[in-house]
Amino acid sequence: MFRLQQQQCGAHGAASSSAKALPVRVSLRAQQQQQQRGMVTARVAQVDAEGVSIRRRPPNGEERQACGPFDFRVEGGDENKPRNILEEIVCVSVGQHTHTQTDTHSRSPFRYKAKEIERMRKTEPLVSLKGLVDRVKPARDFKGAILKKLQETGKPGLIAEVKKASPSKGVIQPDFDAVRIAKAYEAGGAACLSVLTDEKFFQGAFKNLTMIRAAGVTCPLLCKEFIVEAYQEFIMEAYQVFKARASGADAILLIAAVLPNQDLSYFMKAATSLGMQCLIEVHTVAELERMLLLPDIENSILGINNRDLGTFKVDLANTKLIMESDAGKEVARRGILMVCESGIFTYDDVKYAQDAGCGAILVGESIVKQGDPCAGVKNLLQL
């Protein structure tokens, strides 16, 4: 069950003598403001006991359950509905039952990522991926490439995103060619590339990683897959991590809002064992505080996503807010590389992120939608 971290809105008992002296109109207004703040805080700070705010499974279980020849349906209520786009993307099924494409259960918004993973497992089992991993070229130094660009140019290293669509904007680049865009980014001066692999919401694919690497692009590649499953039938396997490495990725994305520290630690170890690095994404100060508890976090990269998970609105000031916090100061003290993500469209935005303490930026929409991505990168970084 989820608990709500709410601000204290003051006592609701008898008013104090000083409060009684206040005009009734002002007192009522203050109470209304306190109630509104409490409701807003409850809505945006809903987390579980491990600090995770994005649910990977319906809290009331699957609405349809198979039992022999019978198929039972139990209404899960509104709590079973995704509360935001990220929750709709990452939630996976509790059960492993097989249903037809026309079945209501298979169209559940909590089934999209589960179906993607199940389909990949059937066509390419984990044992096959492990064989491919042994044959791919060693992973490149993702973090090192960013730091090298930062040293050469004095500007944040750019992680340029190879992305066709997004859940908030729809199709961003209708003339999408992953290899052409990747080569243009590299020619423009990008340090690394981020390649979307989620099929339904971003129209991505793991094959884009493979094609980009096969085309001779030398920039290290981040597999931007929404990694959610550490377990398969109670066995820790990290299928998506192996899939990323087998496809040519040099780093993976992990999201603090989705994964508890136990899973994050396991995925970090799995990635390291395959020679990859991790970009761990936070949205709030509380998530950053939690990441600083992870062992060997200094070896990873931390990213601040400026997109509000509840509204999907972007505010670049979120980076400055987090970096000015005590946790942000601790990040600087430890020398952890920080990435500013979302909301970067101009060189002034790049400078803002750098002044806030970020040595890298991750940019997608503002450059991928341009007819000449190479020029887009140069203009953004003023190279």
Side-chain angles (χ1 to χ4, degrees):
M1 296 299 293
F2 285 73
R3 58 184 173 86
L4 300 182
Q5 297 180 336
Q6 301 187 39
Q7 293 177 335
Q8 296 297 321
C9 294
H12 294 285
S16 66
S17 58
S18 59
K20 289 179 180 177
L22 293 173
V24 174
R25 182 172 55 189
V26 175
S27 180
L28 287 174
R29 182 182 303 166
Q31 289 179 19
Q32 291 172 345
Q33 290 174 341
Q34 287 175 333
Q35 291 172 352
Q36 290 173 352
R37 284 196 296 270
M39 287 187 292
V40 169
T41 304
R43 186 170 62 248
V44 301
Q46 193 172 21
V47 298
D48 68 8
E50 296 178 289
V52 173
S53 60
I54 299 299
R55 303 172 302 177
R56 288 182 283 174
R57 291 173 175 81
N60 294 331
E62 292 285 1
E63 293 188 355
R64 298 193 70 168
Q65 297 288 344
C67 182
F70 303 104
D71 200 16
F72 295 97
R73 179 178 178 83
V74 180
E75 292 296 334
D78 289 342
E79 287 188 23
N80 259 19
K81 297 178 181 178
R83 297 172 302 189
N84 52 59
I85 295 176
L86 182 56
E87 197 160 272
E88 188 171 356
I89 293 171
V90 305
C91 276
V92 294
S93 170
V94 173
Q96 297 294 329
H97 312 303
T98 303
H99 297 267
T100 64
Q101 290 297 317
T102 58
D103 186 64
T104 303
H105 176 82
S106 68
R107 295 199 304 268
S108 164
F110 281 97
R111 290 282 297 166
Y112 296 135
K113 182 54 64 177
K115 289 195 295 182
E116 270 190 28
I117 298 172
E118 288 169 9
R119 186 170 61 252
M120 288 189 294
R121 279 197 182 104
K122 289 179 180 178
T123 58
E124 204 166 29
L126 182 60
V127 65
S128 299
L129 289 182
K130 289 181 177 179
L132 290 173
V133 166
D134 291 337
R135 295 194 294 272
V136 296
K137 293 180 179 179
R140 293 176 168 86
D141 186 357
F142 192 88
K143 183 178 179 180
I146 293 173
L147 294 175
K148 182 180 178 182
K149 282 290 185 181
L150 177 62
Q151 184 177 23
E152 289 176 352
T153 66
K155 299 172 182 178
L158 171 63
I159 306 171
E161 200 147 74
V162 181
K163 175 168 66 174
K164 180 178 181 178
S166 77
S168 59
K169 296 293 181 67
V171 174
I172 299 171
Q173 177 51 268
D175 185 24
F176 182 78
D177 182 326
V179 172
R180 176 183 62 82
I181 293 170
K183 287 184 173 181
Y185 283 161
E186 184 171 58
C192 300
L193 306 182
S194 168
V195 183
L196 268 296
T197 56
D198 181 83
E199 297 176 8
K200 178 175 177 59
F201 294 92
F202 292 88
Q203 298 187 34
F206 278 94
K207 68 178 182 180
N208 289 337
L209 283 166
T210 306
M211 291 190 302
I212 291 170
R213 181 59 74 225
V217 174
T218 60
C219 283
L221 304 180
L222 171 74
C223 174
K224 196 165 185 183
E225 166 71 353
F226 295 90
I227 294 176
V228 292
E229 284 287 62
Y231 302 88
Q232 165 67 0
E233 297 179 352
F234 307 105
I235 298 174
M236 299 191 84
E237 64 158 29
Y239 179 89
Q240 292 164 289
V241 179
F242 277 91
K243 179 69 173 175
R245 179 81 274 266
S247 301
D250 307 292
I252 57 171
L253 172 73
L254 301 173
I255 304 177
V258 174
L259 299 166
N261 278 27
Q262 180 179 353
D263 285 3
L264 285 168
S265 182
Y266 171 67
F267 284 133
M268 290 165 67
K269 290 177 181 177
T272 300
S273 72
L274 298 175
M276 294 190 293
Q277 296 168 324
C278 298
L279 168 58
I280 307 175
E281 181 177 285
V282 304
H283 297 79
T284 66
V285 172
E287 289 178 358
L288 181 57
E289 291 172 345
R290 182 159 63 87
M291 296 307 96
L292 291 174
L293 300 176
L294 289 168
D296 301 321
I297 188 62
E298 293 83 2
N299 296 329
S300 295
I301 307 166
L302 290 175
I304 299 175
N305 195 321
N306 298 306
R307 191 178 300 277
D308 185 284
L309 294 180
T311 64
F312 239 55
K313 292 182 179 179
V314 176
D315 185 358
L316 196 58
N318 187 51
T319 288
K320 185 176 181 182
L321 174 71
I322 292 177
M323 291 303 294
E324 289 180 345
S325 69
D326 288 342
K329 293 174 183 176
E330 177 64 13
V331 160
R333 188 189 71 79
R334 296 194 198 182
I336 299 173
L337 177 62
M338 297 297 294
V339 183
C340 179
E341 307 173 25
S342 299
I344 299 174
F345 292 88
T346 67
Y347 182 70
D348 286 342
D349 296 334
V350 175
K351 193 70 170 61
Y352 183 92
Q354 186 171 20
D355 290 345
C358 293
I361 54 175
L362 191 153
V363 184
E365 179 186 346
S366 65
I367 51 177
V368 76
K369 67 181 182 182
Q370 298 189 29
D372 186 351
C374 176
V377 170
K378 291 181 178 294
N379 291 335
L380 179 69
L381 298 177
Q382 291 194 2
L383 295 176

